[in-house]
Amino acid sequence: MGLTKQYLRYVASAVFGLIGSQKGNIVFVTLRGEKGRYVAVPACEHVFIWDLRKGEKILILQGLKQEVTCLCPSPDGLHLAVGYEDGSIRIFSLLSGEGNVTFNGHKAAITSLKYDQLGGRLASGSKDTDTIVWDVINESGLYRLKGHKDAVTQALFLREKNLLVTSGKDTLVKWWDLDTQHCFKTMVGHRTEVWGLVLVSEEKRLITGSSDSELRAWDIAYLQEMDDLEEPEPKKSRGSPPGIQDTPEPRDGTPETDETPEDRILTCRKAGSIMREGRDRVVNLAVDRTGRILACHGTDSVLEVFCILSKTEVQKKMDKKMKKARKKAKLNSSKGEEEDLEVNVEMTLQDEIQRVTNIKTSAKIKSFDLIHSPQGELKAVFLLQNNLVESYSLSPSAPAPQAVRTSRITIGGHRSDVRTLSFSSDNIAILSAAAESVKIWNRATLQCIRTMTCEYALCSFFVPGDRQVVIGTKTGKLQLYDLASGNLLETVDAHDGALWSLSLSPDQRGFVTGGADKSVKFWDFELVKDENSTQKRLSVKQTRTLQLDEDVLCVSYSPNQKLLAVSLLDCTVKIFYVDTLKFFLSLYGHKLPVICMDISYDGTLIATGSADRNVKIWGLDFGDCHKSLFAHDDSVMYLQFVPKSHLFFTAGKDHKIKQWDADKFEHIQTLEGHHQEIWCLAVSPSGDYVVSSSHDKSLRLWERTREPLILEEEREMQREAEYEESVAKEDQPVVPGETQGDNYFTGKKTIETVKAAERIMEAVELYREETAKMKEHKAICKAAGKEVPLPINPILMAYGNISPSAYVLEIFKGIKSSELEESLLVLPFSYVPDVLKLFNEFIQLGSDIELLCRCLFFLLRIHFGQITSNQMLVPVIEKLKETTISKVSQVRDVIGFNMAGLEYLKRECEAKSEVMFFADATSHLEEKKRKRKKREKLILTYT
């Protein structure tokens, strides 16, 4: 048997060059007790925490594979909820940086996350049109709310009432009663998608933003409060609240809301509109935590800021208006008669919501967040489209408020996609160049050590000695930079069109360029006298030109410098002799142009990658095609051999990097991590590192480990991963009595829930076997008349020599709380009778009552029909009924006793300090205010 060729595995080492990715939203987070200093931004599958004051990355919340789409900090500032592209949600602790809680319930990307006031519940909206409310403390789903016909864009809890309001791309705003989990009101007053909504004015007003330039305001009246007052006078017009102008019906006559008996909880009537300056759709609409500042932006770079005035401020404004109106009326009255003039001034929406200012950012806004400091200063932070974070501050109470930029995080990444990468000869420095700048990175620390402005870069390399770099641009220029000073030494007009490719000559004395002007040019390095100093500086001079019939896309020298490979737009690769420039070989076979190619270190092989998704391996001696490999699902964008080997890497528009063996024509491994098209990669001279760049703005470093990679094992792992994916994509289990697709449970079938169900099944089977063995053992002992040693199961021994029933309980305790229901849903009914008997045993012992009751009630819900029709289970259910009621009562009594004890300790502390606890003091004050307001309303009504 021949020896298996071993390869070494490359693994993901780091993500850098990224400040914030575009799909998610930026949020302020509280760290070390400081508010307004730290922000969390999505960064592909991770979340970066940036310090705005220092411009440094201080924490990375490590993700799995999927891209982050939504962020929401908890009200206490200790946790951050993160929504992902695949519909999963993870809750990270900002103290430890670990994500301990995972919720799986949605089938598509998370679009909205919002905590309730106390942080105990989390509402998530998704592209799969469902809204799910999660119990964060119990780590489980509460209920799934179905009703929207398109992606949910926002979900908000009300503070005082147990209600939820959601908006969607289906143009609807829905109100949900969380006590009964049903939609009791649907607002249909929007003609286009509703992109955002906020609650203001003590939750008495709802403001929505859609695809036009209007922000619509809706007055909310809760009927419990209205019932406390006497019937007001009948209104003349359709539902206009006092002091607010009526808004005309829409042109097509559609009512603004569905006026049905659903109004028994609340009524919602349109109060008017605020006109935005932007003409495009509302991208984000938000209000700060105090509810005083409202801000929104469209697809441009302007944030519009509004101030919601308090009742006293509105009253002052109305008094001023009244004074002005009376003055005007006096002037207009004939002969200055001194009689009382009746002046009517109507309050409009613009009197209550006042425009403050506009904040203009340096690029298009993708998302923003606001924080209002106690001093009255407003801080706004922006995640911009060009991989940039900016923060501004303004004072809304100032006469003419102007936004001032306070910080900008720019150095950590490029403004546009990186199109070329290079390693220095010592493997320490990495060059990345984009449309606006060249950056040099330290590979060990991943810090940017030099930034130089450039034109649109397409190709690059380090000049031998690593003190200068050469960039080829889209305009056909060669730009030569000095790294020590960061200065542009020289710009040379090399080609008339784009300069697509550069190749350094193996003797390191010159290089060759290929451009869109159908020519290949040869250049030599030379030292010329610098005009600004006495020392000489590096320069380049053109020596020869090779004119061709087609645009040149790629050029590459052979290692012995005898041959030059040139890729042309006619889908062929031509090989020329370097010394005479005579034609040697033509490599044809690709259906689309060859975008990238490389020659192996020994000059025997050339590999070409094309837009036709194939990679072809050719012999350089006769130009014969050794093998054609279907490499990627989209264009092959870059190809490079690993030094001193016949292994090579390819990068494609299908978001993948693949490693291949050019001798055996085998695919070795796939490096997955990028979320968008990969533009280029570079292999270090030692072959230990690979760096890649993508349209997702990230640069990724991959490192060669000492772990051997065996192809058979790799294929097996791929098959397992595919199987796990297929298991997750299979139809969700159907609850008896429900139709397929009508799943109102919050969970989702995943490979983890399937494995958890399998663990339960194995535990129950072990319990059955061990019980049977115990019976046999007793019979043997009885027959023998003496005690025979019982063989101990090694699994039970590993758990500390516990009983089989205790092992089943341990398995239940080991299942994640968020996966428990879905695991029980997958569990076949044949195991349920044994589980119910064991539950009865455990509850009688009084162990883990809460967990066991949760499992028991769930099993009874989903298997009610089969359990009630099974005569064998009737006594079990009767026993469970007795034990459960008594044990739950005991637990409740213990909790009640503990709470009473804590209340007593609290009173003792208060008596000692003679100061009420802050929370109680504020609640008493709010209660007094509420009663006073109620009395005032009653007086107004009676008068």
Side-chain angles (χ1 to χ4, degrees):
M1 186 179 128
L3 285 170
T4 305
K5 187 172 178 181
Q6 282 193 346
Y7 306 96
L8 293 176
R9 187 183 296 280
Y10 283 82
V11 295
S13 173
V15 178
F16 65 107
L18 181 65
I19 292 168
S21 49
Q22 310 301 308
K23 281 194 175 177
N25 59 306
I26 189 168
V27 290
F28 277 108
V29 291
T30 306
L31 275 182
R32 300 160 192 166
E34 286 194 65
K35 289 184 179 178
R37 179 174 174 179
Y38 303 101
V39 290
V41 292
C44 293
E45 68 272 25
H46 305 309
V47 177
F48 291 165
I49 310 289
W50 290 94
D51 183 341
L52 291 175
R53 201 175 297 167
K54 293 182 179 176
E56 291 175 359
K57 193 190 304 174
I58 60 158
L59 184 64
I60 299 175
L61 305 178
Q62 298 280 350
L64 299 171
K65 279 186 180 179
Q66 297 295 328
E67 205 168 356
V68 174
T69 57
C70 193
L71 301 177
C72 180
S74 64
D76 59 10
L78 298 175
H79 297 91
L80 183 71
V82 181
Y84 292 90
E85 188 80 53
D86 64 344
S88 62
I89 300 162
R90 290 181 79 193
I91 296 175
F92 288 89
S93 165
L94 290 172
L95 301 174
S96 64
E98 292 177 2
N100 299 323
V101 182
T102 305
F103 295 130
N104 280 303
H106 291 288
K107 294 174 187 171
I110 303 293
T111 52
S112 168
L113 286 172
K114 200 63 86 183
Y115 278 95
D116 69 353
Q117 193 185 4
L118 298 172
R121 292 179 300 175
L122 177 70
S124 63
S126 167
K127 283 185 179 175
D128 65 3
T129 75
D130 290 352
T131 305
I132 299 179
V133 180
W134 306 92
D135 184 340
V136 177
I137 296 156
N138 199 30
E139 297 179 18
S140 62
L142 292 174
Y143 24 80
R144 185 187 295 267
L145 306 172
K146 288 173 171 278
H148 283 286
K149 297 289 182 285
D150 206 336
V152 178
T153 55
Q154 188 61 278
L156 294 173
F157 284 100
L158 272 72
R159 287 181 188 172
E160 302 294 328
K161 317 279 178 186
N162 193 24
L163 304 176
L164 182 78
V165 57
T166 59
S167 63
K169 284 171 75 175
D170 55 1
T171 77
L172 303 176
V173 174
K174 287 183 174 284
W175 291 82
W176 306 84
D177 183 351
L178 297 183
D179 292 326
T180 56
Q181 296 111 51
H182 84 286
C183 174
F184 66 87
K185 179 181 274 297
T186 302
M187 292 163 57
V188 294
H190 303 88
R191 303 279 82 79
T192 52
E193 299 97 331
V194 182
W195 290 102
L197 77 163
V198 290
L199 286 160
V200 295
S201 305
E202 297 174 351
E203 298 186 341
K204 298 287 175 64
R205 178 162 288 158
L206 181 75
I207 294 172
T208 58
S210 57
S211 294
D212 50 25
S213 56
E214 280 184 54
L215 293 179
R216 292 169 176 79
W218 310 80
D219 279 335
I220 304 160
Y222 303 102
L223 287 153
Q224 290 89 335
E225 291 175 14
M226 290 171 69
D227 291 343
D228 293 338
L229 307 174
E230 285 200 358
E231 278 289 313
E233 289 179 21
K235 293 172 186 170
K236 291 171 190 175
S237 60
R238 177 188 166 272
S240 168
I244 294 200
Q245 284 184 315
D246 257 355
T247 308
E249 289 278 349
R251 288 191 193 112
D252 58 0
T254 314
E256 294 294 341
T257 55
D258 290 346
E259 297 296 336
T260 60
E262 68 199 10
D263 288 342
R264 61 181 169 272
I265 296 176
L266 58 82
T267 57
C268 201
R269 303 215 189 305
K270 192 169 179 187
S273 294
I274 309 158
M275 297 307 293
R276 290 167 50 235
E277 287 182 5
R279 291 282 168 265
D280 48 1
R281 76 173 180 90
V282 171
V283 175
N284 281 309
L285 176 68
V287 69
D288 74 319
R289 283 181 189 171
T290 61
R292 184 167 171 77
I293 302 295
L294 172 75
C296 67
H297 72 89
T299 53
D300 53 8
S301 59
V302 177
L303 181 81
E304 298 180 45
V305 183
F306 301 89
C307 183
I308 295 148
L309 302 179
S310 63
K311 286 181 181 176
T312 52
E313 287 171 325
V314 171
Q315 194 57 50
K316 277 182 187 175
K317 207 171 182 184
M318 293 312 295
D319 290 345
K320 276 185 184 176
K321 258 192 173 184
M322 186 66 83
K323 267 187 186 178
K324 276 186 184 176
R326 279 181 180 157
K327 231 182 209 178
K328 203 173 180 182
K330 272 186 183 180
L331 288 170
N332 292 341
S333 63
S334 57
K335 298 172 187 178
E337 291 170 4
E338 299 259 339
E339 59 177 315
D340 288 342
L341 296 166
E342 273 193 31
V343 178
N344 287 326
V345 177
E346 288 186 340
M347 184 163 65
T348 62
L349 191 66
Q350 280 67 28
D351 294 324
E352 295 180 64
I353 300 171
Q354 182 178 301
R355 183 181 292 277
V356 177
T357 187
N358 287 352
I359 300 176
K360 180 92 169 75
T361 57
S362 60
K364 284 184 180 179
I365 303 168
K366 293 306 286 184
S367 68
F368 75 97
D369 197 17
L370 303 171
I371 194 164
H372 208 175
S373 65
Q375 291 79 27
E377 186 187 42
L378 179 73
K379 285 184 182 177
V381 67
F382 299 90
L383 176 61
L384 305 182
Q385 196 176 31
N386 61 349
N387 194 27
L388 195 64
V389 168
E390 285 184 347
S391 70
Y392 291 80
S393 69
L394 65 91
S395 180
S397 54
Q402 287 295 319
V404 180
R405 190 166 74 200
T406 52
S407 64
R408 199 164 187 244
I409 301 171
T410 62
I411 199 164
H414 288 274
R415 306 286 73 78
S416 55
D417 294 359
V418 171
R419 301 309 293 253
T420 175
L421 291 162
S422 296
F423 265 100
S424 61
S425 59
D426 58 4
N427 305 292
I428 290 173
I430 298 170
L431 177 150
S432 64
E436 82 301 322
S437 65
V438 182
K439 284 182 183 283
I440 308 296
W441 307 83
N442 182 315
R443 179 193 51 74
T445 62
L446 301 176
Q447 296 297 312
C448 177
I449 51 179
R450 183 73 75 236
T451 301
M452 301 162 286
T453 55
C454 71
E455 292 187 26
Y456 198 119
L458 293 175
C459 47
S460 63
F461 65 83
F462 278 88
V463 174
D466 297 336
R467 293 184 179 182
Q468 295 88 12
V469 292
V470 175
I471 305 292
T473 71
K474 203 172 185 179
T475 53
K477 291 175 184 171
L478 279 172
Q479 293 187 309
L480 182 63
Y481 290 89
D482 179 56
L483 293 184
S485 63
N487 294 334
L488 175 64
L489 296 177
E490 191 176 358
T491 300
V492 179
D493 289 322
H495 292 269
D496 289 339
L499 199 162
W500 290 114
S501 182
L502 290 167
S503 181
L504 182 66
S505 63
D507 63 5
Q508 301 193 336
R509 292 180 179 178
F511 59 94
V512 64
T513 61
D517 58 355
K518 304 180 184 178
S519 66
V520 174
K521 295 187 180 182
F522 294 81
W523 307 79
D524 280 348
F525 296 117
E526 63 173 356
L527 290 170
V528 297
K529 192 175 180 185
D530 194 355
E531 296 169 5
N532 303 325
S533 72
T534 54
Q535 293 181 337
K536 289 187 175 182
R537 68 166 176 81
L538 188 76
S539 180
V540 294
K541 68 171 182 181
Q542 187 185 339
T543 55
R544 293 184 292 170
T545 303
L546 173 63
Q547 201 64 39
L548 296 160
D549 298 330
E550 295 284 341
D551 289 12
V552 177
L553 298 178
C554 191
V555 290
S556 183
Y557 269 116
S558 66
N560 58 10
Q561 208 170 329
K562 285 185 177 177
L563 301 173
L564 176 72
V566 181
S567 157
L568 301 175
L569 199 62
D570 63 0
C571 309
T572 64
V573 176
K574 301 268 195 294
I575 313 290
F576 297 91
Y577 289 105
V578 172
D579 49 1
T580 60
L581 297 184
K582 284 187 177 177
F583 174 75
F584 172 48
L585 290 170
S586 178
L587 312 178
Y588 55 90
H590 283 289
K591 295 181 180 69
L592 290 168
V594 173
I595 297 169
C596 51
M597 63 182 175
D598 197 18
I599 298 172
S600 64
Y601 75 102
D602 54 5
T604 57
L605 298 174
I606 179 171
T608 57
S610 165
D612 64 6
R613 303 178 289 177
N614 290 310
V615 166
K616 291 183 188 289
I617 300 163
W618 317 76
L620 261 183
D621 42 6
F622 303 110
D624 56 325
C625 180
H626 290 186
K627 187 73 174 175
S628 181
L629 303 164
F630 183 74
H632 290 270
D633 296 329
D634 209 332
S635 302
V636 181
M637 296 305 294
Y638 213 85
L639 183 151
Q640 191 173 346
F641 273 97
V642 177
K644 304 285 189 297
S645 76
H646 281 183
L647 308 179
F648 64 92
F649 282 96
T650 59
K653 277 190 176 180
D654 60 353
H655 317 169
K656 291 174 185 172
I657 297 168
K658 293 185 180 180
Q659 190 185 17
W660 307 84
D661 186 340
D663 291 332
K664 293 195 168 187
F665 317 123
E666 282 189 304
H667 171 219
I668 301 166
Q669 68 170 331
T670 303
L671 305 178
E672 292 188 61
H674 283 293
H675 298 282
Q676 307 230 11
E677 300 95 324
I678 300 170
W679 298 127
C680 60
L681 61 82
V683 182
S684 67
S686 65
D688 286 337
Y689 300 97
V690 176
V691 65
S692 57
S693 78
S694 164
H695 186 48
D696 62 16
K697 299 281 196 304
S698 70
L699 300 175
R700 286 174 189 263
L701 186 66
W702 313 85
E703 191 175 350
R704 184 162 63 187
T705 61
R706 299 288 145 243
E707 181 195 344
L709 185 149
I710 289 119
L711 292 180
E712 288 74 16
E713 289 180 8
E714 195 69 10
R715 301 290 173 269
E716 186 62 36
M717 282 164 65
Q718 279 180 0
R719 282 193 289 273
E720 278 179 20
E722 283 169 14
Y723 167 71
E724 287 181 4
E725 265 185 50
S726 66
V727 164
K729 283 178 184 173
E730 279 174 17
D731 292 335
Q732 296 294 313
V734 182
V735 179
E738 284 188 5
T739 54
Q740 182 73 40
D742 283 355
N743 180 17
Y744 285 89
F745 291 113
T746 54
K748 182 179 78 170
K749 184 180 176 183
T750 61
I751 193 66
E752 284 79 17
T753 60
V754 172
K755 284 178 180 174
E758 284 172 358
R759 287 202 300 275
I760 295 170
M761 287 154 66
E762 284 166 9
V764 171
E765 280 169 5
L766 186 141
Y767 166 74
R768 286 172 181 169
E769 287 167 14
E770 289 299 311
T771 310
K773 278 183 190 174
M774 287 287 281
K775 283 180 183 174
E776 282 177 27
H777 180 256
K778 279 179 184 175
I780 290 164
C781 289
K782 200 174 181 182
K786 61 177 181 178
E787 194 67 34
V788 179
L790 174 71
I792 299 167
N793 190 302
I795 296 172
L796 300 177
M797 181 82 83
Y799 274 82
N801 207 5
I802 57 174
S803 67
S805 57
Y807 173 67
V808 176
L809 182 60
E810 285 297 318
I811 292 297
F812 271 102
K813 283 157 75 174
I815 298 168
K816 281 186 183 177
S817 181
S818 54
E819 294 167 2
L820 189 61
E821 270 95 352
E822 198 61 30
S823 304
L824 292 171
L825 194 58
V826 176
L827 191 71
F829 181 73
S830 57
Y831 292 89
V832 172
D834 288 312
V835 170
L836 291 176
K837 284 169 190 169
L838 285 166
F839 280 0
N840 187 31
E841 213 177 287
F842 301 144
I843 291 170
Q844 277 178 344
L845 295 169
S847 53
D848 296 285
I849 300 295
E850 195 179 332
L851 170 71
L852 293 170
C853 285
R854 187 177 155 198
C855 297
L856 173 64
F857 298 150
F858 186 80
L859 287 171
L860 289 172
R861 270 174 72 196
I862 59 173
H863 297 299
F864 180 78
Q866 285 170 292
I867 289 169
T868 49
S869 59
N870 190 332
Q871 291 297 316
M872 301 288 286
L873 288 175
V874 171
V876 179
I877 298 298
E878 285 295 328
K879 280 180 189 172
L880 273 169
K881 185 180 169 186
E882 289 169 22
T883 52
T884 306
I885 290 167
S886 63
K887 291 294 177 183
V888 169
S889 300
Q890 282 178 24
V891 171
R892 194 175 56 198
D893 292 344
V894 169
I895 292 167
F897 181 83
N898 290 344
M899 282 180 72
L902 289 168
E903 285 287 337
Y904 171 74
L905 289 171
K906 184 174 150 187
R907 285 196 299 273
E908 286 287 306
C909 292
E910 281 174 4
K912 281 177 187 173
S913 60
E914 295 182 351
V915 176
M916 287 180 72
F917 277 136
F918 180 72
D920 275 6
T922 50
S923 63
H924 282 312
L925 191 69
E926 282 169 6
E927 189 65 30
K928 280 180 184 175
K929 277 184 184 174
R930 216 174 286 125
K931 283 177 180 174
R932 198 185 304 133
K933 277 182 191 172
K934 206 169 181 181
R935 280 200 298 272
E936 283 171 5
K937 279 182 184 175
L938 283 165
I939 291 159
L940 285 166
T941 313
Y942 283 118
T943 52

